[in-house]
Amino acid sequence: MSYAKSIIDDIFGGIRPAARALNKPASTIQGWYEAGTIPQKHWTDIMAMATQFGHKLSADNFFDATDSTAAMTRQQPSSETPLVPEMHGYSFDKPHCLSIPDFHRVDIENLLELGTRYLDLSVQKSPREGPLRGKTLINLFFENSTRTEKSFELAGKRLGADVISMNIGSSSVKKGETLLDTATTLNAMNPDLLVVRHGASGAPALLAQKVSCSVINAGDGMHAHPTQALLDALTLRQAVGNIDGLRIAICGDILHSRVARSNVQLLNMLGADVRLIAPPTLMPIGAQRWGADIFHDMKTGLEGCDVVMMLRLQLERMNGAFVPSKREYFHYHGLTREKLAFAKPDARVMHPGPMNRGVEISSDVADDSNISLITRQVEAGVAMRMAIL
Ligand code: NCD
């Protein structure tokens, strides 16, 4: 039986009940039933409705078990694994990657699956044969970055793209050129991908309207850092397993953190129980509406947590004193072994970097590879960005 038939019959109880549940004409459902396939744009709605019928579907359920192409997408990678793995029947239809809510669950699942495969494929040996050969990627970083910029550069090169990293310090921006003038100039060079980091929230979205290539948000102000959230999810899937049902605490300077915002959105989408822990001065007003439980002290906040995600005090975004002193901040909110003991015994620790040791995290926690996933996050960063590119 085709997957479409089994979803319609086994989950919804036939064509008419499925039509009612999905608010579609019976003829549409009949069409899927006869074709044996369901167009990808309906998958998210079907997955959401299936949960109300007590069934949990993933993108995998939209393939036939006997389908050889689908089977191939699930096999272990080998040296023969194609560099653009087939995503049977699935096409990614978003031109840009700007923030997590732009994606459906199925997009996220497919990106994570692709990221997993790139993680397994490891280093691409012959970039000249890569799927991005002949394409140009411009890294446009208006804010400092080590991990993000370098991982996009490496990811682009491993896929065969020509990669240019713009050093904003030496570009015309320093001479007063506006963001949009820079974008117009770069656009005239016909890049295929523009990876943008900017101190102003919304800058990559604005650029996306003005250029004719794909724009990837590599962090904008305090707004979003979708590729970081995706690489964090990939790290968790690899190290811990299913994210659904995990209790995850994000701790520290939530107020100034685009990482926290994108992670709350993505982790919620993947079914985690998300907590935010910060002193009141570093907790954004209205954070309780983000879909996370709010705590101000580490002891109660970390209770029962499977994962503890630490954040840097982002002094460059602070326009006043938000904490009495770094020493006092470390005393109350810095992650030490003693505070980690409030979480589950096997809790894992994450940090997007760069770390301020002795401010938000102690070195013995950060460097203990039995608990810290920080290096694995960097590794996942390249693979995840290959998938996104
Ligand atoms: C984060 C960022 O830039 O938002 N870092 C990163 O991308 N690796 C977090 C931070 O700067 O503290």
Side-chain angles (χ1 to χ4, degrees):
M1 198 199 282
S2 71
Y3 76 82
K5 279 186 185 166
S6 66
I7 288 177
I8 293 165
D9 284 341
D10 303 344
I11 295 182
F12 296 105
I15 293 174
R16 290 198 177 279
R20 270 195 302 277
L22 297 166
N23 200 17
K24 298 251 176 291
S27 55
T28 304
I29 311 291
Q30 174 96 37
W32 301 346
Y33 197 85
E34 281 163 13
T37 57
I38 300 176
Q40 183 224 318
K41 63 181 181 196
H42 302 292
W43 293 0
T44 316
D45 288 346
I46 294 172
M47 286 190 231
M49 194 44 75
T51 52
Q52 297 190 21
F53 282 68
H55 292 269
K56 198 163 176 177
L57 293 181
S58 74
D60 262 6
N61 296 100
F62 291 81
F63 303 119
D64 286 328
T66 50
D67 188 302
S68 58
T69 320
M72 186 190 76
T73 66
R74 289 190 286 272
Q75 80 189 4
Q76 283 304 309
S78 70
S79 54
E80 300 300 308
T81 308
L83 281 163
V84 184
E86 297 259 359
M87 303 304 284
H88 178 69
Y90 169 80
S91 63
F92 189 73
D93 59 357
K94 315 279 185 304
H96 309 293
C97 171
L98 299 173
S99 75
I100 296 295
D102 296 342
F103 297 113
H104 288 305
R105 172 83 188 247
V106 65
D107 300 322
I108 298 289
E109 292 294 346
N110 279 317
L111 276 172
L112 290 173
E113 193 191 325
L114 198 52
T116 308
R117 273 185 271 157
Y118 278 123
L119 204 54
D120 293 338
L121 278 172
S122 191
V123 179
Q124 214 300 75
K125 296 281 185 316
S126 48
R128 262 171 284 139
E129 282 154 34
L132 292 187
R133 68 187 175 282
K135 307 270 184 209
T136 304
L137 182 163
I138 300 185
N139 258 338
L140 191 57
F141 277 63
F142 294 86
E143 274 188 349
N144 291 339
S145 168
T146 311
R147 274 149 278 261
T148 309
E149 184 177 354
K150 294 294 167 246
S151 67
F152 266 115
E153 196 172 318
L154 214 53
K157 286 180 177 163
R158 283 185 185 169
L159 294 169
D162 294 322
V163 182
I164 300 168
S165 285
M166 293 283 295
N167 180 347
I168 300 304
S170 61
S171 79
S172 302
V173 175
K174 278 275 181 286
K175 298 177 190 163
E177 191 174 79
T178 67
L179 173 66
L180 291 181
D181 285 339
T182 307
T184 311
T185 308
L186 293 175
N187 203 36
M189 297 176 193
N190 290 318
D192 300 280
L193 292 144
L194 209 48
V195 176
V196 185
R197 169 169 286 193
H198 199 282
S201 300
L206 180 66
L207 280 180
Q209 292 170 25
K210 303 288 172 190
V211 296
S212 43
C213 63
S214 287
V215 175
I216 298 175
N217 182 2
D220 61 329
M222 307 190 303
H223 170 238
H225 197 348
T227 68
Q228 178 71 40
L230 281 159
L231 79 87
D232 287 342
L234 180 61
T235 310
L236 279 173
R237 284 227 170 141
Q238 290 285 308
V240 186
N242 198 354
I243 292 172
D244 194 354
L246 288 182
R247 182 176 284 180
I248 302 177
I250 307 178
C251 322
D253 184 0
I254 311 281
L255 180 64
H256 300 101
S257 178
R258 52 197 175 203
V259 175
R261 285 169 176 81
S262 287
N263 258 315
V264 172
Q265 291 163 343
L266 183 58
L267 293 171
N268 265 318
M269 201 190 272
L270 296 175
D273 163 18
V274 189
R275 296 177 160 201
L276 298 174
I277 314 176
T281 49
L282 293 176
M283 186 67 81
I285 293 167
Q288 52 280 12
R289 290 195 298 273
W290 293 8
D293 293 319
I294 307 296
F295 295 86
H296 295 303
D297 76 290
M298 297 288 271
K299 187 165 189 230
T300 45
L302 290 182
E303 202 187 319
C305 284
D306 301 279
V307 178
V308 186
M309 223 178 242
M310 298 308 298
L311 299 172
R312 185 174 64 90
L313 270 187
Q314 292 169 62
L315 300 172
E316 73 277 19
R317 299 192 205 289
M318 295 186 188
N319 52 7
F322 284 75
V323 292
S325 70
K326 286 184 186 166
R327 206 165 143 206
E328 190 166 329
Y329 180 78
F330 182 66
H331 178 73
Y332 288 106
H333 288 92
L335 189 67
T336 54
R337 279 191 195 274
E338 294 70 41
K339 292 200 196 80
L340 188 59
F342 300 135
K344 279 197 182 158
D346 55 352
R348 311 301 293 269
V349 173
M350 302 176 80
H351 193 306
M355 273 184 286
N356 284 322
R357 293 164 182 270
V359 179
E360 73 268 1
I361 192 164
S362 69
S363 283
D364 65 331
V365 171
D367 298 335
D368 182 343
S369 59
N370 291 319
I371 50 178
S372 168
L373 299 177
I374 298 169
T375 316
R376 293 177 70 170
Q377 285 174 271
V378 179
E379 200 189 328
V382 179
M384 196 62 238
R385 284 168 178 137
M386 287 172 83
I388 293 163
L389 291 177

